[in-house]
Amino acid sequence: MSAHDPRRVVEDLRDHLAAHDRRLAFLFGAGTSSAVNVASPPAPGAKPEHKPIIPGVVDLTAMCAAAVSKMGNAHSGAWKSMIKQCEKNGRTANVENVLSQVRLKMDAIGDGETLVGLDRLQLIEVEKTICSTIADVVSPADNIISQRMPHHDFADWAKKVSRTAPLEIFTTNYDVLLERAFEASGVPVFDGFVGILHPFFYPECLEDEDLLPKPQWIRLWKLHGSVNWVLKVVESVGAKRKRIIRVQPTKSGELILPSHRKYDESRKQPYMAYMDRLSRMLSAQHALLITCGYSFGDEHINAILYGALDNCNTANIISLQFGDLKETDELVKAAIHRPNLTVIGPNGAVISGVLGTWQLSEPVDAKTSSFMDAAFDSNALPEDEGSPAAASADLKGTMRLGDFNWLCQFLKAMGPGIQ
């Protein structure tokens, strides 16, 4: 197998991040929220534990399954049937795909009919239970999230970088950890909502650059909805209409939108507007999207990402993965056929279509440790210096950037010199 020099990769990434005039965006998935550890400090000599402030999709799916099962045997059976349908259709059997199935069935079912053993009213109750469970889980108590999080380091970095092109952040997360961090750091953020009393979603501004704030503002686009959105009926020019407004986080989960299918135009607006924004951003000349915590499990987002890479040869995506890469991974296969898709994992990377393991051209030393240590865990040890037996091992190591904690440490280590 080929080898890639992690130092060169890290230096290239620093250069990309320091290019103030390049269209730069991040796509943050569930892994960025679950990277926040709220476990108690370990006892002396004990191994540290990791308890995520917000569970990953697997644990979240289990929690929603338990909540639906408590509704009764028929509901439990329906959940199991939809899990099997996901597997049969080649989709990951997680809560987001199950919720999409529930909504599809709600659209399709007629009066007096049943699907997966449930009638329409029962399906509606299942949807509400799933959404409220998700909302509750991703809305931890204030005393838990008042600690310093990696999100704060990211917000600090975003604040101190002077850019002539806007920084755009897309996220599939429903929580408000990013919003909290930006506010704590005093970073101005625009998310597509306008207004003072009850900020409402204004899709037109996502299509017109003249309506968007200047590059000093961060642009935050929540692709799958948010726990601080609600659907409200308002009076408008003598008529009643539905409008999505931004409020304090709620436990209803009514605007959790992981599926591409919506019930009415008002619900569809944020999803379609944000997805169009993602496509438009990637079509800009020399655009760069960096993903972290995103496992490429959303087929609709993937279609936009791969479509942009295939149709615009100046678009580039760097995907930072938490888990080791394998030749059989669908993402690895996709990157091998797309030279403008770079995938970086702990054990190796796919760069310019070539899968390879990590191997330094020279060991990390005092001159390079200032920026390499946060990004790459080298096997080199100070006591091994000059030892022929350790020379080969000193060139190996593990890339850390797929862990949101280390990515934010890396950004923090870049220091004021990037301004």
Side-chain angles (χ1 to χ4, degrees):
M1 185 179 289
S2 299
H4 297 303
D5 187 348
R7 176 177 175 177
R8 180 177 177 181
V9 171
V10 172
E11 289 176 340
D12 286 347
L13 181 58
R14 289 181 76 204
D15 290 342
H16 291 316
L17 292 168
H20 302 166
D21 58 346
R22 183 170 192 174
R23 292 302 297 265
L24 174 65
F26 288 86
L27 171 58
F28 291 144
T32 59
S33 294
S34 59
V36 180
N37 187 14
V38 294
S40 301
K47 184 178 179 180
E49 295 183 355
H50 183 84
K51 180 182 178 182
I53 189 172
I54 295 175
V57 175
V58 173
D59 289 337
L60 188 58
T61 300
M63 293 175 181
C64 289
V68 172
S69 295
K70 289 181 180 179
M71 300 175 70
N73 292 333
H75 300 82
S76 177
W79 177 279
K80 293 175 183 177
S81 295
M82 288 184 284
I83 288 289
K84 290 180 180 178
Q85 288 176 12
C86 287
E87 295 169 343
K88 183 179 179 180
N89 295 332
R91 294 181 177 177
T92 306
N94 62 33
V95 63
E96 294 189 341
N97 284 328
V98 170
L99 184 54
S100 294
Q101 283 208 43
V102 172
R103 289 172 170 165
L104 285 169
K105 296 181 192 308
M106 287 167 56
D107 285 346
I109 198 168
D111 293 337
E113 296 179 343
T114 61
L115 291 173
V116 292
L118 303 179
D119 60 28
R120 179 174 175 78
L121 289 178
Q122 289 174 314
L123 286 169
I124 290 174
E125 288 304 312
V126 168
E127 184 213 21
K128 289 181 178 178
T129 297
I130 293 174
C131 290
S132 61
T133 300
I134 293 174
D136 183 61
V137 172
V138 304
S139 302
D142 286 350
N143 64 323
I144 297 177
I145 59 180
S146 61
Q147 61 181 309
R148 181 80 182 182
M149 300 182 297
H151 300 66
H152 292 103
D153 290 329
F154 182 84
D156 289 346
W157 169 79
K159 181 179 181 179
K160 68 187 177 185
V161 178
S162 176
R163 301 188 57 83
T164 57
L167 176 63
E168 305 197 39
I169 300 171
F170 299 85
T171 178
T172 59
N173 296 336
Y174 319 114
D175 59 69
V176 293
L177 298 185
L178 277 171
E179 291 93 322
R180 285 177 174 272
F182 284 132
E183 287 200 2
S185 298
V187 180
V189 177
F190 181 72
D191 60 357
F193 285 75
V194 299
I196 299 174
L197 186 60
H198 301 296
F200 61 94
F201 184 69
Y202 188 60
E204 290 84 353
C205 65
L206 276 75
E207 302 171 2
D208 188 344
E209 287 291 329
D210 291 336
L211 295 177
L212 288 170
K214 298 300 182 182
Q216 289 74 20
W217 286 62
I218 301 298
R219 301 175 182 181
L220 177 64
W221 315 125
K222 304 190 77 169
L223 297 171
H224 283 181
S226 182
V227 292
N228 64 336
W229 298 355
V230 296
L231 193 61
K232 185 177 181 180
V233 177
V234 297
E235 290 281 350
S236 178
V237 197
K240 292 185 178 181
R241 57 175 293 188
K242 291 181 179 179
R243 175 178 280 176
I244 292 177
I245 63 173
R246 177 164 26 82
V247 296
Q248 290 297 309
T250 71
K251 297 298 179 72
S252 68
E254 62 186 284
L255 267 301
I256 286 175
L257 311 170
S259 59
H260 71 291
R261 194 172 177 87
K262 307 296 174 282
Y263 317 130
D264 51 52
E265 190 63 28
S266 59
R267 289 177 185 258
K268 186 187 298 183
Q269 278 182 354
Y271 183 87
M272 297 305 298
Y274 288 157
M275 294 291 272
D276 288 346
R277 186 72 202 175
L278 177 59
S279 179
R280 189 177 299 112
M281 181 270 158
L282 284 169
S283 66
Q285 283 290 313
H286 303 291
L288 172 63
L289 177 72
I290 298 173
T291 79
C292 185
Y294 178 64
S295 61
F296 282 72
D298 186 308
E299 61 186 70
H300 304 106
I301 294 178
N302 292 350
I304 291 176
L305 302 186
Y306 292 147
L309 293 172
D310 294 339
N311 297 318
C312 183
N313 57 13
T314 67
N316 285 273
I317 295 177
I318 298 175
S319 178
L320 307 175
Q321 292 293 304
F322 183 82
D324 284 344
L325 305 184
K326 302 185 293 293
E327 290 186 62
T328 55
D329 292 343
E330 291 301 320
L331 179 57
V332 169
K333 293 177 183 177
I336 288 174
H337 293 96
R338 294 177 176 87
N340 49 352
L341 171 58
T342 298
V343 180
I344 295 173
N347 62 328
V350 183
I351 301 174
S352 298
V354 177
L355 174 63
T357 56
W358 297 121
Q359 181 164 330
L360 289 156
S361 56
E362 55 186 40
V364 174
D365 54 22
K367 294 180 180 179
T368 57
S369 63
S370 60
F371 69 91
M372 282 295 293
D373 282 353
F376 188 73
D377 185 12
S378 170
N379 291 345
L381 296 172
E383 59 267 25
D384 291 338
E385 188 173 353
S387 168
S392 177
D394 287 354
L395 301 178
K396 303 292 185 181
T398 302
M399 187 64 75
R400 290 169 157 166
L401 293 175
D403 183 330
F404 189 59
N405 291 285
W406 285 109
L407 173 62
C408 293
Q409 284 294 314
F410 172 69
L411 295 174
K412 182 178 181 180
M414 290 179 67
I418 60 174
Q419 294 186 32

